[in-house]
Amino acid sequence: MKLIELIKSFLNKTPDGLSLVLSGGGARGAIHLGVLQALDEHEIKIEAVSGTSIGAIVGALYCAGMPPLEIKKLMETKKFASVFQLSWNRKGLLTMTKLKKTLAEFIPVNDFQSLRIPFYCCVSNLESGKFEIIDNGELSNAVLASASIPILFAPIEINGQHYVDGGLLNNMPVEPFVGKKNVLGIHVNNYKYHGSENIRSIAERVFTLVSRQTAKSKMEKCTYVIEPLLEKPFRVLDFRNTAELFEIGYAEGIKFVAELMNDSRSRVD
């Protein structure tokens, strides 16, 4: 039996399959797509996906059946970038109207149950001060809330409660998969900081450090973790580097497949 067949046999015969946890990280979320592309090319089945912020956007589109390369093309368009361009409402916050239209275009049925793969969306509740995992009901508002970066974007109201970026309180939402085997966590916020006097860069770095602290203990609950060290920060809302980030993720995905091959070989031996 070929090694790749051993991998698929190993994953598909376990009760858990391969479950993915996708962190937030704005434009760095293109790394998720590269990893997904590598997994798809090797026909490794994804059992379920849990995501927060950009991980929720990528996760929802992928679970709806959109191939990683198609999501990459979408992220590279001006149309997608415009979702995060300045469009202030009367409260002085950015709105998520354009993102909602984009989701509706690619996910016509606005319901978690319409997805091909089970999907879990992490959001932060401003009233309770706790994170929540949503996996049923209306899909778009959950994803919008999960991607609503605090201060920049207006909170999303769901059932009378106000929600913002899931990464604020939980940037690695592994909770749906605790106790399961074969959980792959992908964290995209590990980058070298070279210093900056720009207030925006400093604020972004501070938020990244805070969210990374929430992710540390969660990564320990994953069977596998992909967390590439990025030589440059790649700004959160700058999607011009999507192709480069995709390739970083793809290379990491190929390395992960090799890791699975070693695991499969050792189990057979």
Side-chain angles (χ1 to χ4, degrees), residues 56 60-61 64 96-97 99-116 119 121 134-145 156-158:
L61 292 171
M96 301 292 277
T97 305
L99 178 57
K100 187 167 187 176
K101 291 180 179 178
T102 299
L103 290 174
E105 180 179 347
F106 295 98
I107 310 177
V109 181
N110 187 23
D111 192 286
F112 277 84
Q113 301 306 312
S114 71
L115 302 176
R116 300 181 184 182
F119 172 61
C121 184
I134 303 176
D135 64 351
N136 62 79
E138 186 176 298
L139 177 66
S140 64
N141 271 355
V143 175
L144 295 181
I156 301 297
E157 184 174 346
I158 303 175

Side-chain angles (χ1 to χ4, degrees), residues 64-77:
M66 194 171 179
L69 286 176
E70 291 301 313
I71 304 176
K72 172 180 174 286
K73 289 180 181 178
L74 173 63
M75 287 180 67
E76 291 175 318
T77 63

